[in-house]
Amino acid sequence: MELRILILAVVFLFTTATNAHNITRILAKHPDFSTFNHYLTTTHLAAEINRRRTITVCAVDNAAMNDLLAKHYSLYTVKNILSLHIFADYFGAKKLHQITKGSTTTSSLFQATGEAAGTSGYINITDMKGGKVGFSPVDSDSDQPMATYVKSVEEMPYNISVIQISNILTSPEAEAPTAGPTDLNLTSLLAKQGCEAFSDLITAQNAEDTFAQSVEGGLTIFCPSDQTLKSFMPRYKNLTADGKTSLLLYHGVPVYNSLGMLRSSNGLMNTLATEGANKFDFTVQNDGEDVKLQTKVVTATIKGTLIDEDPLAVYKIDKVLLPRELFKAAPAAPGPKSARSRARDEADSPGPAADDEAPADEDSSNDGGRIFGGGGILALSVSLILGLLV
Ligand SMILES: *[C@@H]1O[C@H](CO)[C@@H](O)[C@H](O)[C@H]1NC(C)=O
Ligand SMILES: *[C@@H]1O[C@H](CO)[C@@H](O)[C@H](O)[C@H]1NC(C)=O
Ligand SMILES: *[C@@H]1O[C@H](CO)[C@@H](O)[C@H](O)[C@H]1NC(C)=O
Ligand SMILES: *[C@@H]1O[C@H](CO)[C@@H](O)[C@H](O)[C@H]1NC(C)=O
Ligand SMILES: *[C@@H]1O[C@H](CO)[C@@H](O)[C@H](O)[C@H]1NC(C)=O
């Protein structure tokens, strides 16, 4: 796991240091490939393509993609099939038309994923009569090529070649239903990985389906440690049933994020709790090697990785994420009452967890906080002006 993170970090440094290609941007110039481009992104193959130094992408137009989508495969299967269209070698137009002995076999990313057994995942490229170039997965039993070369879309020798081919390349192996991450039992997996209390709350609230259904398209879960949740329980129990569900869903982001991705992106994250005008979002903020999650009420830090297997990542965090939508609306309890409940929480749970209570209370006496905040800025300005005068 740690090695993987290290590799991701190195890869990230490498790709940012060099002037890397961006397949999303390349294809965005060609509306004919918008569906293909969309699925490269949602399957995370785009990131894999961008990461590689030498690569060929066989794009198909929207009509060919519609044929594929009409089969209603899972996103996981679509990913396997599209992986057949990405070769770990460089084939520009010229090389394709001058294949030694008229035929060659190349390995696709499907081969590299480890999903493919034996020879599946290899593609035959054949120079045919009349200057045509044919493509077929090696395990195809047709004597006609499955797809033919249409045109070159973009060539950056020898980094990336994007070509158009006539049809989708597929194979029984790529289409075979795989035991994808969607089949896993998310709650028991969370429980086994040290998120038992959080998993129990999800089960009690009947929220496991919402989480499980999101895995396929990519899901990142931020799970408060058992210790943190324990001290939070009195406040959790105070929430309405809907509030509890929202709070739990607030800890899920419907996008796969590796730690490397989180470290390299600051910004807003939408969560599974998002609904209508209630945004239920939070901000990712990098702080050196730390990744911090800031709601308007509390700031949590990622403390560990439980699972990081695209499309699912689960990280342990040191605070319960408190959405402003739930904790701002708490009955206005200014001054002494806040202090009292804070003191009681601290008594319940010595240690860092008590920390996440304080800002929430500040937030419940919201207006006062704002005024003081404004006063702070005023005081700062005054002292700056005084400083300038002196
Ligand atoms: C690639 O380009 C797209 C569209 O311009 C952009 O949204 C995305 O952030 C880029 N990816 C990288 C890794 O730069
Ligand atoms: C792929 O190429 C190999 C070697 O040239 C050949 O034996 C095989 O029949 C080809 N398969 C297809 C499906 O074209
Ligand atoms: C290929 O990549 C290298 C380094 O990443 C870069 O220096 C070179 O300009 C790229 N070639 C093209 C044609 O973009
Ligand atoms: C997951 O496992 C738990 C306990 O092993 C079980 O109670 C639950 O029904 C399972 N959920 C699914 C969706 O299979
Ligand atoms: C729960 O709600 C009640 C009534 O609003 C309040 O008095 C009490 O302090 C709350 N408890 C916690 C732990 O927030």
Side-chain angles (χ1 to χ4, degrees):
M1 201 70 78
E2 267 166 26
L3 183 65
R4 212 172 139 168
I5 290 166
L6 185 68
I7 290 169
L8 274 172
V10 169
V11 162
F12 173 71
L13 282 176
F14 190 64
T15 45
T16 47
T18 59
N19 200 2
H21 49 255
N22 180 335
I23 185 67
T24 312
R25 198 177 303 142
I26 292 172
L27 289 174
K29 290 180 265 176
H30 306 271
D32 262 7
F33 303 124
S34 58
T35 309
F36 183 78
N37 199 11
H38 171 78
Y39 277 91
L40 287 187
T41 303
T42 52
T43 56
H44 308 293
L45 286 169
E48 191 63 25
I49 292 167
N50 295 344
R51 185 172 90 67
R52 303 241 171 182
R53 300 288 92 208
T54 300
I55 200 117
T56 299
V57 178
C58 303
V60 297
D61 66 12
N62 293 343
M65 274 306 286
N66 285 344
D67 292 344
L68 171 65
L69 297 177
K71 294 183 181 165
H72 300 291
Y73 289 129
S74 70
L75 189 63
Y76 208 68
T77 300
V78 170
K79 179 178 186 170
N80 283 343
I81 294 172
L82 292 184
S83 310
L84 284 171
H85 296 71
I86 304 161
F87 306 155
D89 198 355
Y90 187 88
F91 289 96
K94 197 168 161 205
K95 183 169 166 189
L96 281 173
H97 288 94
Q98 296 174 354
I99 289 170
T100 333
K101 297 195 187 128
S103 181
T104 189
T105 303
T106 191
S107 65
S108 71
L109 276 198
F110 185 51
Q111 227 290 314
T113 57
E115 293 290 348
T119 55
S120 66
Y122 289 95
I123 307 286
N124 274 3
I125 308 177
T126 312
D127 280 348
M128 306 187 303
K129 288 198 188 83
K132 277 190 166 183
V133 180
F135 298 83
S136 281
V138 165
D139 54 359
S140 141
D141 46 16
S142 162
D143 49 4
Q144 289 300 309
M146 200 173 273
T148 53
Y149 172 82
V150 178
K151 65 171 192 257
S152 168
V153 176
E154 182 133 343
E155 295 195 18
M156 295 164 70
Y158 292 91
N159 301 348
I160 184 167
S161 166
V162 182
I163 61 172
Q164 182 186 358
I165 61 170
S166 60
N167 297 90
I168 286 284
L169 299 172
T170 186
S171 75
E173 187 92 22
E175 287 176 28
T178 43
T182 35
D183 298 332
L184 54 77
N185 182 329
L186 191 61
T187 43
S188 69
L189 184 140
L190 284 179
K192 278 188 206 131
Q193 297 285 334
C195 274
E196 194 157 13
F198 188 65
S199 169
D200 287 348
L201 292 183
I202 289 175
T203 306
Q205 215 51 37
N206 283 323
E208 64 260 55
D209 283 353
T210 312
F211 279 98
Q213 282 157 11
S214 304
V215 173
E216 188 168 301
L219 178 66
T220 306
I221 298 175
F222 299 101
C223 136
S225 65
D226 289 355
Q227 192 61 38
T228 307
L229 267 182
K230 197 174 159 207
S231 60
F232 177 71
M233 281 317 281
R235 298 180 75 198
Y236 179 79
K237 291 199 180 110
N238 245 13
L239 293 169
T240 62
D242 282 352
K244 285 175 184 161
T245 303
S246 295
L247 180 92
L248 296 173
L249 296 182
Y250 190 56
H251 290 76
V253 170
V255 176
Y256 163 74
N257 284 285
S258 67
L259 201 55
M261 288 158 83
L262 289 170
R263 282 209 177 107
S264 61
S265 64
N266 289 324
L268 272 188
M269 289 258 164
N270 292 321
T271 67
L272 292 175
T274 304
E275 59 161 55
N278 289 331
K279 290 209 176 62
F280 282 100
D281 50 17
F282 61 79
T283 305
V284 176
Q285 195 72 50
N286 294 290
D287 180 7
E289 281 298 280
D290 284 346
V291 177
K292 296 193 179 296
L293 313 175
Q294 296 177 330
T295 82
K296 287 279 190 302
V297 183
V298 68
T299 298
T301 305
I302 293 184
K303 290 296 182 190
T305 304
L306 305 185
I307 314 159
D308 179 3
E309 286 174 26
D310 188 353
L312 174 69
V314 183
Y315 305 102
K316 189 175 281 186
I317 53 175
D318 64 346
K319 307 261 175 73
V320 175
L321 295 174
L322 305 177
R324 161 177 64 158
E325 285 79 357
L326 289 177
F327 289 87
K328 177 173 147 189
K337 194 165 178 215
S338 296
R340 196 170 358 113
S341 75
R342 193 179 314 166
R344 196 196 42 228
D345 286 341
E346 273 163 17
D348 276 356
S349 62
D355 219 334
D356 69 7
E357 318 292 332
D361 287 332
E362 271 162 31
D363 200 75
S364 62
S365 51
N366 206 352
D367 293 341
R370 291 256 165 78
I371 292 163
F372 285 128
I377 289 167
L378 185 66
L380 191 67
S381 319
V382 167
S383 53
L384 271 177
I385 291 166
L386 283 178
L388 284 175
L389 289 178
V390 172

